[in-house]
Amino acid sequence: MDITLLHFIVCLPLVTAVAILCGGPARQLARGAGVFNALLGGALFYYFDREDPGFQFAGSFEVLASPSISFAVGVDGLGAVLVLLSVIVMLCAVWQIPRKVEGRMDLYCVSVLLIGGGAIGAFATTDLFFFYAFHELALIPTFLMIGIFGHGPDRSTVAWRITIYLGVGSLVLLAGLLWLVHASGAESFDIPTLIEAGQNLDAEVQKWIFLLLLIGFGTLVSLFPFHSWAAPAYAAAPTPVSMLHAGVLKKFGLYGLLRLAVPMLPEGFAAWETLILVLLLGNVIFIGFVTISQRYLDRLLGYSSVMHMGYAFLGMMALNEVGYNGVVLMLFAHGLSIALLFALCGHLRERVPTMEIRELGGVAKAAPFLAVVFGMGAFASIGLPGFANFAAEVMIFLSAFKGGLGDGGGLTALQITCIIAVWGVVISAVYMLRAYRNVFQGEREPEEGTTDVAHESRWPLVLLVVALLAAGLFPNLILNLLP
Amino acid sequence: MLAFITLLSPLIAAAVIVVGLLRAPGAASKLSVLSAIIGFVCSLLMLLGMGGSVEPFVWAKAGSFSLTIGLLSDDYLAQGMLFIVTFVGLLVHLFSLGYMKDDPGKARYFAGLSLFMFSMTGIVLADNFAMMFIFWELVGVSSYLLIGHWYKKDSAADAANKAFMVNRIGDFGYLVGILLLFAITGSLGFEEIRNAIETNPPAQGMMIAATLCIFCGAVGKSAQFPLHVWLPDAMEGPTPVSALIHAATMVAAGVYMMVRVIFLVEAAPIAGEVIAYVGGITALLAALMATQQDDIKKVLAYSTLSQLGYMVMAVGLVAKHPGSEYAGQAAFFHLYTHAFFKALLFLGSGAIIYACHHEQNIWKMGGLFRRMPKVSITFAIGTAALMGVPFVTAGFWSKEVILGEAYDTPVLFWIGVGTAALTAFYMTRLFVVVFFGESRSDHASHAKDPGPIMTIPLLVLAVPSVIAGFGFVAGLLHIHPPHHAGDHAPFIIGASLGALTLGAALGFFLYSGKKKEPIGFPLFRDKFYLDEIYIGMVRVCQDAVAYLAKAVDQIVVDSLAVLGTARITRGLGNLFRFSQVGNLQGYAFLFGGGVLVVMILLFSFVR
Amino acid sequence: MLTLNHFLLASGLLFSIGLAGVLLRRNIIVIFMCLEMMLSAANLSLVAFARFNLTEAGMPDYNAQVLVFFIITVAAAEVAVGLAIIVALFKARETVHVNDLTSMKF
Amino acid sequence: MTLAFYIAAAVMLLAGIGVVVNRNPVSAAFCLVVSFIGLAALFISLNAYFIGIIQILVYAGAVMVLFLFIIMLLDIKAETKRKINYYSAGGAFALVALFVAQITAVLDVFETGKKEMPELAGDKGSDVAAVGELLFTDFIFHLQIVGVLLLVATVGVIVLSKRDAPPDPAPDQ
Amino acid sequence: MPAYGLEITVVCLGLVLLLIDAFREKGSKTVIAAMGAIGLALVLVFLMFGSAPTGETYWGIYEWDNWAKFYKGLALAATILVLLMSVDYAAVFKRYTNSDESKSGLGEHYILPVFACAGLMWMASARDLITIFISLETVTITFYVMVAFMRHNVGSLEAGVKYLILGALSTGFLVFGITWTFGVTGAFHLDAIGEGLSRIEGSAVPALFALVLLLVGLGFKIAAVPFHFWVPDVYQGAPAPVTAFLSVGSKAAGFIILLRVLEPFLQSDLTREAALTLLAILAAATLLIGNLAAIPQTNVKRLLAYSSISHAGFLLVAIAAPVEGNPDAWRTVTFYLGAYLAMTMLCFSILCLVRAHGGSDEMIGFSGLAERNGLLAFGMLIGLASLAGLPLTAGFFGKFFVFSLAIQSQLYWLLAIAVLGAAAGFYYYFKVAKSMYWEKADEAAEFTTGQTIEISFATRLVILGLVVATIFFGVAPGVLFSWF
């Protein structure tokens, strides 16, 4: 077994979590792990061979012979992008751990590390079992975090809902994955082996496996109508959890579809195309309107993250290079921007008495830095150029039209869907700017004693903005990683 | 190379200001002005043919497909537009040094201005739709930032939002249009699209749809009816911004874009007709609204709308004259002249407002002619150009060309003439009320000419407002206005002269010496109630739908589907649970029953 | 003539009567007696089976009778333990009626 | 032979019904003894003399005495006072009837069951010896397990019957 | 060493302990538990590392294969843990018997599991119905005593009576089943039964009748629906260590016997299909009832009882989903039970400790456990996560293999029900986690003392060991597989 850089990246958060459980200084260790992991992630980004389309930094350790399951790590471009995203967001998330919490600090830090570490592990492993298992690692920490440290009166309901919902979703997913493995005849959970063995599956089988995967992964990505867990949970969760969950963990579902369903189940895509198109419009348009009518800033952000997942599905449906690149960029960009927004939302929550948009106003006067960065986050989120989200959205839209017009010179179903989905661009501008206008601008005076973000807490926010800008101005930094 | 410098220098300036100079407004403003100077010099050099060509930059790559940033450094249209932009931009920068001297957000303001220059330059130089869309959105952003510069004012924040939203609606169409064109032709570059359409003409229906969608972008950005509502509100921004963005350059970007892709209009004549009528309607309605405004900047804003209507009309009319070598030049010609005199008028109004301590109501001014001679004279030149005073003003020439284009279409022609008359009327009204008569407020009576930093740009702009219409001057920018009028020229000139005289005379006699509005026409004053109608539409189509969606989400998805499932599960759980009766005999009974059921089941499997 | 089914039917009926007793009677001791009846019914079948299906040697399979022997032994032990529990219950609750034993349910 | 079977079976079953319907536990116990005697007769008719004898000795003798002893000790008469719940009784009857129906259905298709009793080839009375031999050869192991079982039962009974001070007044359920 | 030596050793250990208990009137009975645990541990070590007995069977009735070996190990491990648990539970135990140690029967309380263990080990090796019956009854009768052991606790006695009557009822059916099996096939030995089944001409009904009756008896042991009615009440009423023993030891032995007994029936063409369909239906019913009825529970012990039913459902799915020529059902069931041992014992040890430290079995008694003792709360959390089947715990792999089997045999409807059941599981297991972590101890003063729970080093070690085992088998299941 070769020990590679990736092993360290995967294991560091988990080992740190154990160290904290054994009584180490919780907050310091968590921060240290975040910084170290980000450095390692940077090294990964630097040393990643952009010419090699295969899995790099690979190493595996068998844990079960039949069926073959190994603790195998390795990243290709897709995995590298998401690992990079995870380490960045995790760094910023551990920095949002408050100095004092009501309850046990070690529990708080361990949970954050497990959620983040789980996400990293899920993206870095090439074994289907660990792919699934790492994602599930977040389930209990999330449950506890929302329940113990969450905000709002209904946090208990919310914690239940996210837990049960994701639990059910992942069980459906498990069924689908197992079926996929069985249908491929691979007897192995190694993803590359699986993909190789599972080419040209029977169409009927593909259809049903795909449905299971769609429901399973879809629940995890909050695909309409399996979305109702997401926004309330993000609103109620402690800031680092919202950041990690909305920013990183949620991407797992799409990652899974890209990783497995796209290469293995093309006919599954074809069979359910109409359904997916309708559902993704549900995300973009329906949830878009739901977002407009939100009264609380945190919920609004939560719903906006649900809404944007529709675009990612749209990009996937084209099944071409442009769409693939667009989706990956979308995952990266959305992860950073929503993490930024939730981090800012957390800062805001400490400063203002309520999250109700109508009751706020003029915060920019007292907290200009917060306002500026929030504005950047909002701009990123509504897809303005300069931020990575824009490039992703444009590529996703273009992907639908890449193949030219449909038969007979008309538009294909995908293209019509895409055109409707473009209206989401308007919708997101409406709710985001409206909220920004009400919260930060205007003549209302903010609460007495409202302060700006403390200097030492600023750099994680800046880091996120810089990353967004870098990927937005030079999307090729990210796209180059992809084959 | 020059093109790159032009493009990047304002970006660098903006970035440096945001990163390091927010606390040093003096340095920030100087840096910004410097970048504007660099841009102007470069554009001048490019105009002189020293541009050279620039390798496109691959911005985003996806396998074989890529989005590129390519600069049109040797394109006449781009060079001309670039000159206008950088020239007006430079002057506005200079003017701002004075106008924004004491503003607490000065550094932020100049950063925004530089960002705008960057974006606008990008639009001008774009060689493909993807790049143009990027910068298209960026000008939207910078416009949002600059309109909302005084974000602490509710009205400014609201206006910025409104401008952004309305533009987004236009951008929706624009993006869809780009996507359609991409599907039709398989590429995004202007040249490639043109070639593809010419070699392999696509179905007319799809072409019309694509063209109209592209035009939507122009409708939003150039504030055409029905998306014109944001522009008057945008006057909440600092006046130099209004001059630069909301009069001379950004709002003209829509027209510029349409001229850039004029081959689309030619390929889809029906779309052209629609475009022309949209332009005409805008011109007329805006002029009507302008007649009853009291805010000096609002009057100018509506006049801008009206003039943009002319330009769009000219774009649409291209379809009436197929095969013309200089298609679209009529619109561009008017764009060009209008940029100068409208910037002049706005800066002039800025000077007046500055002098009157930010008083914008024309009924509180008056008698300024004596107190502010430099401003007054330049303002008069601008007004004359806008009204189209024959032969000596730039506006006359360009308007005449457009009317000539419209001659074949009587409805549009008479709309044009009517608008000209209305323009003369409301500009006369404005001039008379502001400069003549007695001062109607303290501030007005103490007004005086501002310092040279603000007057010099006015003087500089007054020159092209006069001479830009002459053919040889336009030729320097490679503008070749077509002359479709031919034999009808005298008639056209006569009509516009008549309109001018009628409007100016009416305006003079009605408003000379008046202290308050002599005629009340609420329909025009309240902008045909379009804002109210739109607010109603937003309430119904958006807020009500959003509320409905939320209700559906909560009731159907949440309560029925999710909680319902949970309840059913729990109910079943309780049902099963209550089979656990606690009585031993009950268990024995159930046990025996279970045995029987199992037995019967099993025997039933045996065939 | 007597067939195996005669014995099996008798055994089955005894088993069913025992079952009926378990289901009908409320006194735990009587229920317990009925359970013994059911066990004995099984014994009858067992012996009958052995007697009717002779081994190659022409004798019954005595394994079955050994099992019956064990069943009787186990049943006796069960009775001893069961009655001890019932006595302990009676000491604690003063009842041997099944309807009184419903403190745990659902 | 047949007559003997019918008489013994009738005694067994009727006494069994007596156990179920007698509301007095003592009478029920006596009915059970009678039933077991009928059963023993059937065993003997099947040439299982050893089993028949221990059925009487162990069951009818020892076990039933134990039962009676306990019944007397506890002096239980409670059941006679309670009403019969006719619904549950009806349900129980239906269930048992169905069960009987099942058994008869099985017997109906059970081919082996249709054969008559074959003659024994060897000594009819040799079963005690045979069973004994088996017990101490092939089943010596089982016998030991049963020994453990009895030991456990003994220990259990002793522990459960331990006498001690009155219990905690507040029993936790 | 002869094959049956292990059981004999265990029985001898029990006898020695009985003698010590009898002659050592004074002093703490903890010694007996400790000696028992150590003795059993030695046997376990010998089982794992000692020389295997030669010869396949002992008089053809004593099977010595890897399965038997593993299940013996399971029985030993379960008993050791139960003994250790019982020591912690002694306080509660004495409250309901007699405060004097020797009069309380505490010694016997520690010794009876040893005998039960011997019975369980015999069950693991049983190859014929007579041995099965006798060893099963040995275990059952021991359990009758143990369940009712707290003789002043009405709950314990009620549970004892319920277990006694229903257990005897099921024994009746089992015996009737053995009888019919003998009648139909003419044999008691499982191999001979297989041959006997293959000789049957004519209707399959009698054979199936026998099978049903056997299934009733064994289904009772493994808590399969509809023979599960005793489970919640008995689990709730019995002393917690006994509940744990019932849940793990008795169930594991039930499953090995079920597997062995079913084997001839599943190999015979006559009964195979009907039996499989029936098993699938039973599995579905067990899953549904076990999982759904657990949702509204508020008592942790009762909750674990329903959970035990639900796990029986998952295990039945594995049995009902055979794959041709592949011992996967055996492997899966065995793995599952190994994992089940670790996680269930973990939960019950903690339950015992909470109960013994002034708490109650009610869920509210777990309130604020995270603050009262972090290790206990964490251990419980891991145990619950494993029971719920979260990945990286042993319980997940159990479900993982079960689902795989269901897919391989294309029992999609059963898979759907299993998924539903597992999903419901998330809810009720997490409810306990919620009590431990979300709630505050002082809000439930009626049910807890709210004080910090001090635990001994040995207990801490045991809990940590179980936590590590639960996680280790969840990460490296291959190790567990290598043991059978």
Side-chain angles (χ1 to χ4, degrees), chain A residues 161 227-228 425 437 476, chain B residues 59 61 154 158 168 553 558:
Chain A
R161 184 171 299 179
H227 63 275
S228 58
V425 170
R437 149 84 186 84
N476 280 342
Chain B
W59 181 63
K61 191 168 144 305
D154 279 339
D158 287 336
R168 270 262 147 159
D553 189 51
D558 234 36

Side-chain angles (χ1 to χ4, degrees), chain A residues 176 180 183 198-203 205-214 217 256-257 259-272 319:
Chain A
L180 185 68
Q199 296 296 326
N200 308 321
L201 294 179
D202 178 56
V205 173
Q206 277 197 27
K207 188 176 159 188
W208 295 113
I209 295 179
F210 186 85
L211 186 65
L212 286 180
L213 293 189
L214 181 70
F217 281 130
L257 284 175
R259 175 67 85 219
L260 297 168
V262 169
M264 291 179 77
L265 306 169
E267 291 180 51
F269 267 106
W272 300 103
L319 290 177

Side-chain angles (χ1 to χ4, degrees), chain B residues 127-130 177-202 207 210-211 214 260-261 263-264 267:
Chain B
D127 76 339
N128 64 60
F129 267 122
I178 294 174
L179 293 173
L180 288 177
L181 278 179
F182 181 59
I184 294 168
T185 65
S187 76
L188 290 168
F190 298 132
E191 269 315 299
E192 289 86 344
I193 291 176
R194 174 183 212 138
N195 292 337
I197 288 175
E198 274 166 12
T199 54
N200 188 12
M207 210 47 226
T211 309
I214 295 278
R260 165 74 58 214
V261 294
F263 52 86
L264 292 179

Side-chain angles (χ1 to χ4, degrees), chain D residues 99 102-103 105-107 109-112 137-146 148-153 155-168 170-173, chain E residues 4 8 11 15 18 58-59 61-62 95-98 102-103 105 108 112 115 122 130-131 134 137-138 141-142 145 148-149 151-153 155 173 180 183-184 203 205-206 209 236 355:
Chain D
F99 192 73
Q102 289 294 321
I103 292 179
V106 171
L107 290 180
V109 295
F110 187 45
E111 292 304 319
T112 326
T137 54
D138 284 6
F139 289 94
I140 181 72
F141 181 61
H142 301 81
L143 202 62
Q144 289 177 19
I145 305 178
V146 172
V148 173
L149 189 152
L150 290 172
L151 174 71
V152 169
V155 171
V157 170
I158 292 169
V159 173
L160 283 172
S161 322
K162 270 193 182 163
R163 206 169 263 286
D164 38 40
D168 200 322
D172 177 313
Q173 58 89 22
Chain E
Y4 52 90
I8 300 290
V11 168
L15 290 172
L18 264 184
Y58 174 71
W59 298 311
I61 54 162
Y62 187 95
R95 194 178 332 146
Y96 293 116
T97 50
N98 194 319
S102 64
K103 281 186 192 158
E108 286 85 352
L112 284 176
F115 288 112
W122 274 318
I130 298 176
T131 320
I134 292 172
E137 282 307 302
T138 312
I141 287 176
T142 320
V145 179
F149 216 103
R151 56 187 184 272
H152 297 320
N153 181 315
F173 279 100
W180 270 88
V184 174
S203 173
V205 169
F209 183 61
Q236 191 186 351
R355 181 83 167 82

Side-chain angles (χ1 to χ4, degrees), chain B residues 260-339:
Chain B
R260 165 74 58 214
V261 294
I262 201 74
F263 52 86
L264 292 179
V265 183
E266 290 179 303
I270 296 176
E273 201 138 325
V274 174
I275 292 169
Y277 277 100
V278 169
I281 290 169
T282 312
L284 186 63
L285 288 185
L288 285 173
M289 292 186 241
T291 55
Q292 285 284 294
Q293 301 302 317
D294 295 336
D295 183 323
I296 181 168
K297 284 177 74 182
K298 288 265 166 83
V299 177
L300 292 177
Y302 281 107
S303 86
T304 309
L305 282 179
S306 175
Q307 299 303 308
L308 288 167
Y310 269 121
M311 299 177 212
V312 170
M313 188 166 90
V315 166
L317 288 171
V318 164
K320 294 272 180 190
H321 311 281
S324 166
E325 188 186 351
Y326 298 120
Q329 288 283 349
F332 190 66
F333 187 41
H334 194 56
L335 188 164
Y336 148 81
T337 56
H338 174 254

